[in-house]
Amino acid sequence: MRLNSPQINLIVKACMKASKSLIRDFGEIENLQVSSKGPGDFVSSADKRTEKIIINELQKAHPDYGFVTEEAGIINKSNEKNKWIIDPIDGTSNFLNGLPQFAISIGYEEEKEIKCGVIFDPIKNEMFLAEKGNGAYLNNSRIRVSNKKKLKDSFLVTGGPKHSSKIKEKIFSEYVDVSKTVHFPIRKFGSAALDIAYVACGRFDGCWHRELSYWDYAAGSIILREAGGFFDFFDEDKSLSSKKNVIATNSMIHRELQDLVIKKDIE
Ligand code: IPD
Ligand code: CA
Ligand code: CA
């Protein structure tokens, strides 16, 4: 593998360290499912614990770098040049319910551009990683997107809506519209980061997700682009504040999928 920036090496190291405690915590979930208290509080502390390990590890190397994290928020705000973007557990609902489909997602941004990223599924021991200009990898093998050309033949994945979403109806009806267009039933796997990584390695041909946060897609965006895919936003509605609507495909079906979901936006 020819990925060798200091930042990607640091991310890999942080992921490996954090995943040890994450795997232990996931093992606890089964016991908690059947306890009267349930796993809710435990999961939120597992989230924080995992993130803390990652932050500590990255800070050891670069105390001055900024962070955009899901749990601890923004750290070192004044550093606009170098930033780590962290989601300690993407796929919390899966984790909470003992379903092994979740990942640590870490991206590195320099001068406002994502330079490298890692998405690590510790249960399947699958590490997706990429560095700008040097390709994308799954563990030690180079990955590429699929070459499916037509939307109707594509295998797609999406997500949401969240319980709190104000655009639930739109998300549901969009799901129906796209479902009517494609032959394979659309999947909802519950981890946007892994969904994008799966497009990058050709397991899916495309995905779209509304209302994502930066940490959900930062690492995925570079992994997909380096695997030959197309990563984009399909709605720049300012009222969404920091949330974005993401479309990630093998690039060949991009236009067709985008036209379908944008159509929904202007209805
Ligand atoms: C969520 C997952 C999910 C997506 C949600 C995200 P979390 O992240 O990526 O697939 O549909 O919008 O918030 O809460 O599990 O880190
Ligand atoms: Ca997330
Ligand atoms: Ca999360």
Side-chain angles (χ1 to χ4, degrees):
M1 196 176 7
R2 270 180 282 123
L3 299 186
N4 47 24
S5 70
Q7 285 84 7
I8 200 140
N9 290 327
L10 282 169
I11 298 177
V12 170
K13 204 166 148 223
C15 267
M16 295 314 287
K17 188 155 186 196
S19 67
K20 291 202 180 82
S21 103
L22 191 56
I23 292 167
R24 261 198 314 274
D25 286 343
F26 188 61
E28 267 298 301
I29 293 287
E30 213 162 293
N31 302 329
L32 290 161
Q33 291 298 354
V34 291
S35 83
S36 55
K37 220 172 140 230
D41 291 345
F42 176 79
V43 170
S44 86
S45 54
D47 239 326
K48 292 196 177 76
R49 196 164 30 243
T50 309
E51 192 178 275
K52 197 150 192 1
I53 298 171
I54 298 167
I55 293 174
N56 285 347
E57 201 58 30
L58 297 172
Q59 262 177 341
K60 265 199 267 170
H62 295 288
D64 56 321
Y65 276 22
F67 286 84
V68 178
T69 78
E70 185 174 18
E71 302 301 324
I74 295 175
I75 303 170
N76 283 349
K77 195 169 181 216
S78 59
N79 189 339
E80 278 292 311
K81 188 175 170 234
N82 316 90
K83 285 182 197 171
W84 307 106
I85 321 296
I86 303 172
D87 190 343
I89 307 177
D90 185 67
T92 326
S93 310
N94 289 341
F95 187 91
L96 177 74
N97 287 286
L99 191 85
Q101 180 71 6
F102 56 88
I104 297 172
S105 177
I106 308 176
Y108 169 65
E109 184 199 282
E110 197 174 284
E111 309 277 15
K112 310 243 177 274
E113 187 187 23
I114 296 288
K115 297 288 188 195
C116 60
V118 173
I119 295 173
F120 183 45
D121 173 342
I123 305 300
K124 301 184 199 72
N125 199 21
E126 288 191 326
M127 184 175 276
F128 298 86
L129 56 178
E131 189 177 271
K132 198 177 175 208
N134 284 332
Y137 291 82
L138 165 50
N139 296 336
N140 289 317
S141 306
R142 187 86 186 244
I143 51 172
R144 269 206 71 75
V145 291
S146 72
N147 62 5
K148 211 79 74 61
K149 292 184 182 59
K150 293 209 165 71
L151 187 64
K152 72 173 175 46
D153 302 324
S154 299
F155 196 33
L156 303 178
V157 61
T158 188
K162 281 208 176 89
H163 191 64
S164 57
S165 174
K166 294 193 173 64
I167 54 161
K168 275 190 190 145
E169 291 312 317
K170 188 192 224 175
I171 292 176
F172 287 136
S173 79
E174 184 171 81
Y175 179 82
V176 172
D177 281 1
V178 183
S179 294
K180 284 178 183 161
T181 309
V182 295
H183 177 76
F184 294 113
I186 295 169
R187 272 22 186 183
K188 280 193 185 184
F189 266 16
S191 162
L194 283 177
D195 292 348
I196 300 169
Y198 284 13
V199 177
C201 69
R203 291 176 185 165
F204 287 119
D205 306 303
C207 78
W208 83 103
H209 273 272
R210 286 189 181 264
E211 303 186 298
L212 290 190
S213 299
Y214 194 20
W215 47 79
D216 297 318
Y217 63 79
S221 65
I222 179 100
I223 294 169
L224 179 64
R225 283 177 177 141
E226 287 297 321
F230 197 41
F231 180 91
D232 204 2
F233 303 112
F234 64 94
D235 178 18
E236 288 296 328
D237 184 352
K238 297 285 179 284
S239 65
L240 285 169
S241 66
S242 58
K243 301 276 186 190
K244 296 269 191 188
N245 301 321
V246 162
I247 177 164
T249 69
N250 68 358
S251 87
M252 279 173 282
I253 61 154
H254 202 90
R255 188 62 198 268
E256 257 192 292
L257 181 58
Q258 192 169 49
D259 284 352
L260 248 179
V261 290
I262 284 179
K263 198 173 83 203
K264 205 74 220 160
D265 247 13
I266 51 184
E267 264 174 13

